[in-house]
Amino acid sequence: MSKDELYKVVLDAMAGTDCGDCEYPDCDGYTKGIVYEGQTDLGRCAPGGEDTRQKLYEIMLGTKAPPK
């Protein structure tokens, strides 16, 4: 999958609240950080919580997230 396609999949996994709790200005920023800038912390989406964390681990690493 291309990075542009991956971007769309990762953005869909986000909670979509654009809250900034992830230390990015919005969900788009966090998604770009993960897909294009090498952000490895996949647990920053507070509104999405464990559901988003699990999705991001499956999308980006092909595995289940480890226990917190």
Side-chain angles (χ1 to χ4, degrees), residues 7-53:
Y7 166 83
K8 292 175 187 173
V9 172
V10 171
L11 186 61
D12 284 344
M14 298 292 174
T17 61
D18 294 332
C19 67
D21 285 352
C22 60
E23 299 180 16
Y24 285 87
D26 52 27
C27 297
D28 178 66
Y30 184 31
T31 300
K32 286 178 180 173
I34 292 170
V35 175
Y36 300 109
E37 299 164 7
Q39 172 58 257
T40 58
D41 185 351
L42 303 177
R44 290 184 171 203
C45 183
E50 189 60 22
D51 184 50
T52 294
R53 182 173 168 266

